[in-house]
Amino acid sequence: MKLPRVRQNLLGAVFVGPAFCYIMLVVIYPLLYSLWASFTNMRLTSPITSFVGLDTYAQALSSEIFQESLIVTAVFLVCVVALEFILGFALAYSFSRMTRTHPVMRSLLLLPVMATPVSVGLVWKLMLNSEFGILAGWGRAFGASGILWLSDPTLALVSVVIMDVWQWTPFMFLILLAGLEGLPKEPVESAQVDGANRWQILLFITLPMMRRIIVIAVVFRLMFAIATFDTVYVLTKGGPARATDLITLFIQREGFVNLNIASASAVSFLVLIAVLVVTTILFKRDLADAK
Amino acid sequence: MQNEYARSAGEFVRIAANGAIVALFLFPLAWMIAGAFKSEGDLLSPDPVWFFAPVLDHWRFIFANWAVEHHLVNSAIISIATTLATLALGFPAAYGLSRFPLWRKDAILFDILSLKMIPPIASAVPLFILAKQVGLYNTHAVLIILNTAFQLPFTLLVLKSFIDEIPREIDEAARIDGCSALGVMWHAVLPLAVPGIVCCALFVFIFTWNEFLLANVMVGGEQRPLPPIVGLALTHRGILWGPALALGVVVIAPVLALSLMLSRYMTRGLTFGAVKG
């Protein structure tokens, strides 16, 4: 009853084909167009476009605004991924120690992840407002009046991190909890018999067994965090004084405000290469393990 | 006896503590919903106002001045059409990936995942230029076409993980009964994949509904869905806080409702099938 292998391959191609062509046309073709644009000096403000080789990349890399944006992005990524992992793991561990699963609490906790980013940015902009925001109100109650959450450069970046941690910690929580619940019980039990304390069990048994799921959680979060745009666009628009100018906001401004298509494309490609290198190095092996 | 008492006390403390954390995470959403019903004075009071008489001023304002119902319909059209198109393209492809021995299949699966990892901003600029060239700029169609493309990798991976769990004997049986390859997919696999299809449909709908970046640059004026309108409220000569919050609630309400329906499949959806919760 088995069909010959060539015929099976062909049939598979028929099923996958339409989606494949669609992605090629709508995702890959524009990316190639943008790759071409990054080797030119294309601007929407000037009618003449000529080939300039790697000049646009050289200009972008040597631009101070780009370098500062990279630093802001790096600080943001390290802070949010580290904080979200630690808090998410602590919360998942705490949930896994409850005897029942409490599905209602879990689904409620997931609401920040799914919430519309523009609305998220909006409500944090309200809560962090230095005149009538609730955080300023609480600050005054504890004698710390006049904290300029969104107008002080350092605090603005802290604000962006706080908002992101609020939104994405539940994501880490959910994945890590699924990991904790899938672990076999025997190693922990035999360690208990051998007299290991709770911290030793966590560090030397639970965490090593969770390796694959931790890699998945961290890499997924890292990739999504690089794409962070909407929430920060609404909360700070990259300001004050570019203190929260993530690379995505930089690209958006270059492309749609300065209309410098070449520069926006070149920086997009640098980000794209970074993303693909990270996914390939960190992820390919662990994803293959899953199959 | 005492031990059991201590254990249930410990359990109670854990439920209370975790419940408090959940409440903390829900607070900003609750604060936004409450804010949309506060009077201007209560909303902009330096001290947080906890108890207030709800007013509908902001709601009247957004319907009277920003034609919210019109943009709500735009959002619904774009999200529903995207969901249908994504499933129509994605289901056969996911079935093909699950059942047929394709050339370099592991590499293809990894490439699909990589596609999903591309930050949308990286393709926004070329897409904007191309959309203008082909005359799709400022139409619903362009948002449907682009969102479908961006949601396809997700749909492929998640649907494949669902179809992988349907026993292959079902396919065999249908084939023996005389079904063609297409018939097997349609009559045997599709009915069993309904939970996966519902899961993907809800996720794609929510992601498309939430989408701001492309909606903000690809369409203007009458054609805009809701998220760019919220952005508009923010820059409109300072911020009209009350109406902005009311608008924020309008956008988020269907998302919150649908998310709660998804809870069973959250883990699988958010990791593209890599982790089965």
Side-chain angles (χ1 to χ4, degrees):
Chain A
M1 220 39 220
K2 276 266 173 213
L3 294 163
R5 196 173 165 85
V6 178
R7 178 121 193 272
Q8 288 220 344
N9 255 317
L10 267 175
L11 261 175
V14 169
F15 281 109
V16 180
F20 177 81
C21 296
Y22 192 82
I23 288 176
M24 278 296 162
L25 190 70
V26 185
V27 181
I28 304 299
Y29 172 69
L31 283 177
L32 294 177
Y33 179 88
S34 150
L35 182 64
W36 170 76
S38 72
F39 293 116
T40 69
N41 61 355
M42 188 192 288
R43 280 167 184 270
L44 285 187
T45 45
S46 104
I48 303 155
T49 297
S50 54
F51 190 79
V52 296
L54 287 170
D55 275 11
T56 312
Y57 285 90
Q59 265 168 29
L61 286 171
S62 60
S63 139
E64 227 167 78
I65 301 177
F66 171 73
Q67 290 165 2
E68 283 170 19
S69 174
L70 268 193
I71 293 170
V72 169
T73 310
V75 171
F76 170 79
L77 290 178
V78 170
C79 288
V80 300
V81 174
L83 282 170
E84 285 159 16
F85 174 74
I86 293 167
L87 293 174
F89 189 86
L91 200 54
Y93 189 68
S94 164
F95 263 67
S96 73
R97 288 176 55 79
M98 294 195 292
T99 26
R100 283 199 222 118
T101 51
H102 302 283
V104 175
M105 267 157 77
R106 286 186 196 198
S107 14
L108 287 175
L109 200 50
L110 259 296
L111 292 182
V113 180
M114 303 305 285
T116 313
V118 208
S119 297
V120 168
L122 184 66
V123 68
W124 281 96
K125 203 175 170 85
L126 173 72
M127 294 201 302
L128 291 164
N129 186 292
S130 54
E131 286 161 42
F132 47 82
I134 190 163
L135 271 90
W138 286 340
R140 269 192 298 279
F142 290 102
S145 59
I147 302 176
L148 300 171
W149 285 105
L150 296 175
S151 9
D152 177 89
T154 316
L155 285 178
L157 190 54
V158 173
S159 300
V160 167
V161 169
I162 292 175
M163 174 176 69
D164 197 84
V165 167
W166 171 79
Q167 201 189 2
W168 288 95
T169 296
F171 171 84
M172 284 278 196
F173 156 81
L174 183 76
I175 299 176
L176 295 171
L177 181 58
L180 281 170
E181 287 177 338
L183 292 181
K185 295 265 181 292
E186 297 78 25
V188 173
E189 277 160 11
S190 58
Q192 276 166 341
V193 172
D194 291 347
N197 66 34
R198 198 184 291 173
W199 285 103
Q200 286 170 327
I201 292 175
L202 182 65
L203 275 178
F204 300 113
I205 297 175
T206 308
L207 281 176
M209 285 199 300
M210 296 258 300
R211 206 193 83 92
R212 177 182 162 257
I213 217 126
I214 288 172
V215 171
I216 290 180
V218 169
V219 176
F220 267 86
R221 183 57 205 122
L222 189 63
M223 294 302 115
F224 294 157
I226 290 174
T228 305
F229 176 81
D230 310 0
T231 48
V232 183
Y233 184 80
V234 172
L235 187 69
T236 64
K237 256 199 172 175
R242 298 201 307 273
T244 56
D245 195 24
L246 296 179
I247 198 74
T248 46
L249 281 99
F250 175 85
I251 296 173
Q252 193 265 352
R253 208 175 45 240
E254 281 294 279
F256 295 107
V257 180
N258 303 336
L259 301 176
N260 189 339
I261 305 301
S263 161
S265 301
V267 175
S268 295
F269 258 89
L270 295 175
V271 173
L272 214 61
I273 292 165
V275 167
L276 292 182
V277 167
V278 172
T279 31
T280 311
I281 291 176
L282 284 176
F283 214 31
K284 208 158 188 173
R285 206 181 65 201
D286 286 276
L287 197 76
D289 286 353
K291 301 295 166 193
Chain B
M1 205 52 196
Q2 210 164 13
N3 206 351
E4 204 163 294
Y5 176 74
R7 198 180 305 156
S8 68
E11 177 76 359
F12 178 76
V13 170
R14 276 193 283 273
I15 292 175
N18 289 331
I21 293 170
V22 173
L24 193 67
F25 272 93
L26 292 179
F27 176 77
L29 298 174
W31 193 246
M32 173 167 67
I33 295 167
F37 292 97
K38 284 180 185 172
S39 68
E40 194 81 13
D42 285 344
L43 192 57
L44 303 185
S45 138
D47 293 310
V49 175
W50 294 95
F51 303 102
F52 57 93
V55 293
L56 291 175
D57 297 0
H58 312 312
W59 294 84
R60 283 194 205 100
F61 182 92
I62 59 172
F63 280 97
N65 296 326
W66 292 342
V68 171
E69 66 283 3
H70 178 79
H71 298 289
L72 200 62
V73 171
N74 286 348
S75 267
I77 293 173
I78 293 165
S79 305
I80 291 170
T82 301
T83 307
L84 295 176
T86 310
L87 288 174
L89 281 165
F91 185 76
Y95 174 72
L97 284 171
S98 170
R99 290 298 199 260
F100 295 96
L102 288 161
W103 181 65
R104 291 182 63 230
K105 186 145 115 185
D106 288 345
I108 293 176
L109 288 173
F110 181 72
D111 291 342
I112 296 173
L113 188 65
S114 307
L115 274 180
K116 182 62 209 177
M117 296 302 184
I118 296 173
I121 186 75
S123 34
V125 171
L127 285 171
F128 172 73
I129 296 174
L130 293 169
K132 280 209 150 174
Q133 281 175 1
V134 297
L136 281 172
Y137 176 74
N138 205 13
T139 58
H140 286 164
V142 72
L143 288 181
I144 295 166
I145 292 170
L146 296 182
N147 279 313
T148 300
F150 283 113
Q151 299 308 331
L152 253 181
F154 164 84
T155 310
L156 285 176
L157 293 171
V158 176
L159 267 183
K160 179 183 173 291
S161 89
F162 276 98
I163 297 173
D164 282 345
E165 284 169 9
I166 299 171
R168 274 160 181 272
E169 287 73 35
I170 303 278
D171 299 40
E172 301 290 332
R175 199 169 298 138
I176 290 166
D177 287 349
C179 278
S180 64
L182 200 66
V184 171
M185 180 187 86
W186 189 255
H187 295 295
V189 178
L190 185 75
L192 292 172
V194 166
I197 292 172
V198 171
C199 162
C200 282
L202 288 172
F203 266 109
V204 170
F205 182 91
I206 294 173
F207 290 152
T208 310
W209 184 274
N210 284 348
E211 208 283 326
F212 168 74
L213 179 65
L214 292 171
N216 195 35
V217 295
M218 291 293 173
V219 295
E222 291 282 285
Q223 303 292 321
R224 278 173 300 190
L226 278 171
I229 304 294
V230 181
L232 182 86
L234 285 171
T235 50
H236 190 75
R237 272 189 255 144
I239 301 165
L240 297 166
W241 277 109
L245 287 179
L247 206 49
V249 173
V250 172
V251 184
I252 218 169
V255 174
L256 298 186
L258 293 176
S259 299
L260 289 175
M261 290 167 61
L262 262 176
S263 51
R264 254 190 80 196
Y265 299 118
M266 269 297 181
T267 321
R268 192 189 292 219
L270 289 172
T271 59
F272 308 145
V275 178
K276 284 162 194 137

Short mmCIF file of all heavy atoms in Angstrom, two decimals, chain B residues 130-163:
data_model
loop_
_atom_site.label_atom_id
_atom_site.label_comp_id
_atom_site.label_asym_id
_atom_site.label_seq_id
_atom_site.Cartn_x
_atom_site.Cartn_y
_atom_site.Cartn_z
N LEU B 130 7.54 48.33 -1.70
CA LEU B 130 6.92 47.43 -2.67
C LEU B 130 5.40 47.59 -2.68
O LEU B 130 4.78 47.56 -3.74
CB LEU B 130 7.30 45.98 -2.36
CG LEU B 130 8.79 45.68 -2.57
CD1 LEU B 130 9.16 44.31 -2.01
CD2 LEU B 130 9.14 45.75 -4.05
N ALA B 131 4.80 47.79 -1.51
CA ALA B 131 3.35 47.96 -1.45
C ALA B 131 2.93 49.18 -2.25
O ALA B 131 1.92 49.19 -2.95
CB ALA B 131 2.89 48.08 0.00
N LYS B 132 3.75 50.25 -2.17
CA LYS B 132 3.44 51.45 -2.96
C LYS B 132 3.56 51.16 -4.44
O LYS B 132 2.72 51.60 -5.23
CB LYS B 132 4.40 52.58 -2.57
CG LYS B 132 3.99 53.27 -1.28
CD LYS B 132 4.43 54.72 -1.25
CE LYS B 132 3.44 55.51 -0.42
NZ LYS B 132 3.82 56.89 -0.20
N GLN B 133 4.61 50.40 -4.82
CA GLN B 133 4.83 50.12 -6.24
C GLN B 133 3.70 49.30 -6.85
O GLN B 133 3.30 49.55 -7.98
CB GLN B 133 6.16 49.38 -6.44
CG GLN B 133 7.36 50.31 -6.38
CD GLN B 133 8.67 49.57 -6.46
OE1 GLN B 133 8.71 48.34 -6.58
NE2 GLN B 133 9.76 50.31 -6.39
N VAL B 134 3.19 48.30 -6.10
CA VAL B 134 2.14 47.46 -6.69
C VAL B 134 0.75 48.03 -6.42
O VAL B 134 -0.24 47.40 -6.74
CB VAL B 134 2.21 46.00 -6.20
CG1 VAL B 134 3.50 45.34 -6.63
CG2 VAL B 134 2.06 45.92 -4.68
N GLY B 135 0.68 49.21 -5.82
CA GLY B 135 -0.61 49.88 -5.66
C GLY B 135 -1.47 49.32 -4.55
O GLY B 135 -2.68 49.48 -4.54
N LEU B 136 -0.83 48.64 -3.59
CA LEU B 136 -1.62 48.09 -2.48
C LEU B 136 -1.55 48.97 -1.24
O LEU B 136 -2.19 48.68 -0.23
CB LEU B 136 -1.12 46.68 -2.13
CG LEU B 136 -1.61 45.57 -3.04
CD1 LEU B 136 -0.90 44.28 -2.73
CD2 LEU B 136 -3.12 45.39 -2.91
N TYR B 137 -0.76 50.04 -1.32
CA TYR B 137 -0.62 50.92 -0.17
C TYR B 137 -2.00 51.47 0.22
O TYR B 137 -2.81 51.79 -0.65
CB TYR B 137 0.34 52.06 -0.52
CG TYR B 137 0.47 53.10 0.55
CD1 TYR B 137 1.18 52.82 1.70
CD2 TYR B 137 -0.14 54.34 0.42
CE1 TYR B 137 1.31 53.76 2.71
CE2 TYR B 137 -0.02 55.29 1.42
CZ TYR B 137 0.70 54.99 2.56
OH TYR B 137 0.81 55.92 3.55
N ASN B 138 -2.24 51.53 1.53
CA ASN B 138 -3.49 52.07 2.04
C ASN B 138 -4.73 51.25 1.67
O ASN B 138 -5.77 51.79 1.31
CB ASN B 138 -3.67 53.53 1.60
CG ASN B 138 -4.57 54.28 2.56
OD1 ASN B 138 -4.85 53.79 3.64
ND2 ASN B 138 -5.03 55.45 2.16
N THR B 139 -4.59 49.91 1.71
CA THR B 139 -5.76 49.04 1.54
C THR B 139 -5.78 48.02 2.67
O THR B 139 -4.74 47.77 3.29
CB THR B 139 -5.69 48.25 0.22
OG1 THR B 139 -4.47 47.48 0.24
CG2 THR B 139 -5.68 49.16 -0.99
N HIS B 140 -6.95 47.44 2.91
CA HIS B 140 -7.01 46.34 3.87
C HIS B 140 -6.22 45.15 3.34
O HIS B 140 -5.61 44.41 4.09
CB HIS B 140 -8.46 45.91 4.11
CG HIS B 140 -9.22 46.89 4.94
ND1 HIS B 140 -10.58 46.89 5.01
CD2 HIS B 140 -8.80 47.88 5.74
CE1 HIS B 140 -10.98 47.85 5.81
NE2 HIS B 140 -9.91 48.46 6.27
N ALA B 141 -6.25 44.99 2.00
CA ALA B 141 -5.63 43.82 1.39
C ALA B 141 -4.16 43.71 1.78
O ALA B 141 -3.67 42.62 2.08
CB ALA B 141 -5.79 43.87 -0.13
N VAL B 142 -3.45 44.84 1.79
CA VAL B 142 -2.02 44.75 2.06
C VAL B 142 -1.77 44.23 3.47
O VAL B 142 -0.88 43.40 3.71
CB VAL B 142 -1.31 46.11 1.80
CG1 VAL B 142 -1.63 47.13 2.85
CG2 VAL B 142 0.20 45.89 1.74
N LEU B 143 -2.58 44.65 4.42
CA LEU B 143 -2.39 44.16 5.79
C LEU B 143 -2.74 42.69 5.90
O LEU B 143 -2.10 41.93 6.62
CB LEU B 143 -3.22 44.98 6.77
CG LEU B 143 -2.71 46.40 7.03
CD1 LEU B 143 -3.59 47.12 8.04
CD2 LEU B 143 -1.27 46.38 7.52
N ILE B 144 -3.77 42.27 5.17
CA ILE B 144 -4.16 40.85 5.19
C ILE B 144 -3.04 40.00 4.58
O ILE B 144 -2.62 38.99 5.15
CB ILE B 144 -5.49 40.64 4.45
CG1 ILE B 144 -6.62 41.37 5.18
CG2 ILE B 144 -5.81 39.16 4.32
CD1 ILE B 144 -7.89 41.53 4.37
N ILE B 145 -2.52 40.45 3.42
CA ILE B 145 -1.46 39.70 2.74
C ILE B 145 -0.22 39.59 3.63
O ILE B 145 0.34 38.51 3.81
CB ILE B 145 -1.10 40.38 1.41
CG1 ILE B 145 -2.27 40.26 0.43
CG2 ILE B 145 0.17 39.78 0.82
CD1 ILE B 145 -2.11 41.10 -0.82
N LEU B 146 0.19 40.71 4.22
CA LEU B 146 1.42 40.71 5.00
C LEU B 146 1.26 39.95 6.32
O LEU B 146 2.12 39.17 6.70
CB LEU B 146 1.87 42.15 5.28
CG LEU B 146 2.24 42.95 4.04
CD1 LEU B 146 2.71 44.34 4.42
CD2 LEU B 146 3.31 42.23 3.25
N ASN B 147 0.15 40.18 7.00
CA ASN B 147 -0.04 39.46 8.27
C ASN B 147 -0.11 37.96 8.03
O ASN B 147 0.41 37.18 8.82
CB ASN B 147 -1.31 39.94 8.97
CG ASN B 147 -1.07 41.24 9.73
OD1 ASN B 147 -0.09 41.37 10.45
ND2 ASN B 147 -1.95 42.21 9.55
N THR B 148 -0.76 37.56 6.92
CA THR B 148 -0.81 36.13 6.60
C THR B 148 0.61 35.57 6.46
O THR B 148 0.93 34.53 7.02
CB THR B 148 -1.59 35.91 5.30
OG1 THR B 148 -2.91 36.42 5.47
CG2 THR B 148 -1.66 34.44 4.93
N ALA B 149 1.46 36.31 5.75
CA ALA B 149 2.83 35.83 5.56
C ALA B 149 3.56 35.75 6.90
O ALA B 149 4.29 34.79 7.16
CB ALA B 149 3.57 36.77 4.62
N PHE B 150 3.36 36.74 7.75
CA PHE B 150 4.09 36.74 9.02
C PHE B 150 3.56 35.70 10.00
O PHE B 150 4.28 35.24 10.87
CB PHE B 150 4.07 38.13 9.65
CG PHE B 150 5.04 39.08 8.99
CD1 PHE B 150 4.59 40.17 8.27
CD2 PHE B 150 6.40 38.85 9.07
CE1 PHE B 150 5.49 41.01 7.65
CE2 PHE B 150 7.30 39.68 8.45
CZ PHE B 150 6.85 40.78 7.73
N GLN B 151 2.28 35.33 9.87
CA GLN B 151 1.73 34.32 10.78
C GLN B 151 1.89 32.89 10.27
O GLN B 151 1.70 31.93 11.00
CB GLN B 151 0.24 34.59 11.06
CG GLN B 151 -0.06 35.92 11.73
CD GLN B 151 0.77 36.15 12.97
OE1 GLN B 151 1.17 35.23 13.66
NE2 GLN B 151 1.05 37.42 13.26
N LEU B 152 2.24 32.74 8.99
CA LEU B 152 2.33 31.39 8.43
C LEU B 152 3.37 30.50 9.12
O LEU B 152 3.07 29.35 9.44
CB LEU B 152 2.64 31.46 6.93
CG LEU B 152 1.50 31.11 5.97
CD1 LEU B 152 1.98 31.21 4.54
CD2 LEU B 152 0.95 29.72 6.25
N PRO B 153 4.59 31.00 9.37
CA PRO B 153 5.57 30.12 10.03
C PRO B 153 5.06 29.58 11.36
O PRO B 153 5.18 28.38 11.65
CB PRO B 153 6.78 31.04 10.24
CG PRO B 153 6.65 32.09 9.21
CD PRO B 153 5.18 32.29 9.02
N PHE B 154 4.45 30.45 12.15
CA PHE B 154 3.86 30.04 13.42
C PHE B 154 2.83 28.93 13.21
O PHE B 154 2.86 27.88 13.84
CB PHE B 154 3.22 31.25 14.10
CG PHE B 154 2.27 30.92 15.20
CD1 PHE B 154 2.75 30.69 16.47
CD2 PHE B 154 0.91 30.81 14.96
CE1 PHE B 154 1.88 30.35 17.50
CE2 PHE B 154 0.04 30.46 15.97
CZ PHE B 154 0.53 30.24 17.24
N THR B 155 1.91 29.19 12.28
CA THR B 155 0.82 28.24 12.03
C THR B 155 1.36 26.89 11.57
O THR B 155 0.90 25.83 12.02
CB THR B 155 -0.11 28.81 10.95
OG1 THR B 155 -0.45 30.15 11.33
CG2 THR B 155 -1.36 28.00 10.81
N LEU B 156 2.35 26.92 10.67
CA LEU B 156 2.93 25.68 10.17
C LEU B 156 3.47 24.83 11.31
O LEU B 156 3.18 23.64 11.41
CB LEU B 156 4.09 25.99 9.21
CG LEU B 156 3.71 26.48 7.84
CD1 LEU B 156 4.96 26.83 7.04
CD2 LEU B 156 2.96 25.37 7.14
N LEU B 157 4.27 25.45 12.18
CA LEU B 157 4.93 24.69 13.24
C LEU B 157 3.92 24.17 14.26
O LEU B 157 3.99 23.01 14.68
CB LEU B 157 5.99 25.54 13.92
CG LEU B 157 7.19 25.89 13.03
CD1 LEU B 157 8.08 26.91 13.70
CD2 LEU B 157 7.98 24.63 12.71
N VAL B 158 2.98 25.02 14.66
CA VAL B 158 2.03 24.59 15.69
C VAL B 158 1.07 23.53 15.13
O VAL B 158 0.83 22.50 15.76
CB VAL B 158 1.25 25.79 16.27
CG1 VAL B 158 0.21 25.33 17.26
CG2 VAL B 158 2.22 26.75 16.94
N LEU B 159 0.55 23.76 13.92
CA LEU B 159 -0.36 22.77 13.33
C LEU B 159 0.34 21.45 13.11
O LEU B 159 -0.21 20.38 13.34
CB LEU B 159 -0.91 23.28 12.00
CG LEU B 159 -2.24 24.04 12.05
CD1 LEU B 159 -2.67 24.40 10.65
CD2 LEU B 159 -3.31 23.22 12.75
N LYS B 160 1.61 21.52 12.67
CA LYS B 160 2.36 20.28 12.46
C LYS B 160 2.47 19.50 13.77
O LYS B 160 2.30 18.28 13.80
CB LYS B 160 3.75 20.58 11.91
CG LYS B 160 4.57 19.30 11.71
CD LYS B 160 5.97 19.58 11.24
CE LYS B 160 6.78 18.30 11.21
NZ LYS B 160 7.07 17.77 12.55
N SER B 161 2.71 20.21 14.87
CA SER B 161 2.84 19.50 16.14
C SER B 161 1.52 18.82 16.53
O SER B 161 1.53 17.77 17.14
CB SER B 161 3.32 20.46 17.24
OG SER B 161 2.23 21.09 17.88
N PHE B 162 0.40 19.41 16.13
CA PHE B 162 -0.90 18.77 16.40
C PHE B 162 -1.11 17.57 15.47
O PHE B 162 -1.55 16.50 15.91
CB PHE B 162 -2.05 19.76 16.20
CG PHE B 162 -2.33 20.62 17.40
CD1 PHE B 162 -1.82 21.90 17.50
CD2 PHE B 162 -3.11 20.15 18.46
CE1 PHE B 162 -2.09 22.70 18.60
CE2 PHE B 162 -3.38 20.94 19.56
CZ PHE B 162 -2.86 22.21 19.63
N ILE B 163 -0.80 17.75 14.18
CA ILE B 163 -1.05 16.67 13.22
C ILE B 163 -0.13 15.48 13.51
O ILE B 163 -0.53 14.33 13.34
CB ILE B 163 -0.87 17.20 11.78
CG1 ILE B 163 -1.91 18.28 11.49
CG2 ILE B 163 -1.03 16.06 10.76
CD1 ILE B 163 -1.74 18.98 10.16
#
